[in-house]
Amino acid sequence: MNDGVLNQATAARLEQLTASRPHAIGIYAPVGAGKSLVARLLASRLLDIEPSKLDAYPYFYTIEPEPKKESASTETVRALLGRMTRTVPGSHETRRIVLVERADKVLRPESQNILLKFIEEPPADTIVLLTYANATSLL
């Protein structure tokens, strides 16, 4: 991880999260604070791959708004989470990551409920990362 970009407190917290590997991590900060950068650096560290290779990694998933919309549909969220039941090859402790950037904007309450149920009992090799700027918009 390029710690030169991060302040010491953030770098230390990322070290803790990498070591403890919780099944879900929320990154809360104001708009423009660098949540996306931190989330992607953390994801690459948890998956033990270079940050530049993250988007090409086959088990790195993102939930994004539908084209020409501001949110992801419940069908999109269900379809993605349905793929989480498949076994992922390898022996690394974390083999799959789901990233939801701007979760407070992208996920409507119905989609949040679906994701919340998944977060409660995800597969052992899977971590969910959420970034958000408005904590009161999430369930």
Side-chain angles (χ1 to χ4, degrees):
M1 192 178 310
N2 184 356
D3 291 342
V5 176
L6 305 174
N7 71 38
Q8 287 182 327
T10 302
R13 185 65 179 134
L14 291 183
E15 289 292 331
Q16 292 172 340
L17 291 169
T18 301
S20 65
R21 296 182 185 275
H23 65 274
I25 301 166
I27 300 173
Y28 169 73
V31 173
K35 296 178 295 295
S36 179
L37 171 68
V38 170
R40 288 175 171 275
L41 286 171
L42 179 57
S44 67
R45 173 145 313 168
L46 290 165
L47 293 168
D48 197 27
I49 60 174
E50 292 293 319
S52 61
K53 296 180 180 177
L54 187 61
D55 287 324
Y57 183 77
Y59 306 108
F60 174 71
Y61 305 98
T62 59
I63 296 177
E64 299 176 344
E66 301 294 316
K68 299 182 182 180
K69 294 186 179 179
E70 294 181 6
S71 62
S73 70
T74 56
E75 293 80 20
T76 297
V77 175
R78 278 192 183 109
L80 174 62
L81 297 182
R83 294 179 8 201
M84 299 298 120
T85 60
R86 298 179 186 153
T87 302
V88 175
S91 59
H92 195 269
E93 191 173 349
T94 302
R95 295 185 293 276
R96 183 170 33 204
I97 293 199
V98 176
L99 173 62
V100 186
E101 294 183 83
R102 299 175 301 133
D104 51 338
K105 299 285 184 193
V106 171
L107 298 176
R108 293 181 186 253
E110 304 83 26
S111 296
Q112 289 181 33
N113 275 319
I114 295 166
L115 186 60
L116 184 58
K117 288 178 185 174
F118 177 78
I119 287 173
E120 289 172 352
E121 294 185 37
D125 64 352
T126 303
I127 295 176
V128 177
L129 298 175
L130 303 166
T131 69
Y132 54 99
N134 184 352
T136 61
S137 294
L138 293 176
L139 299 175

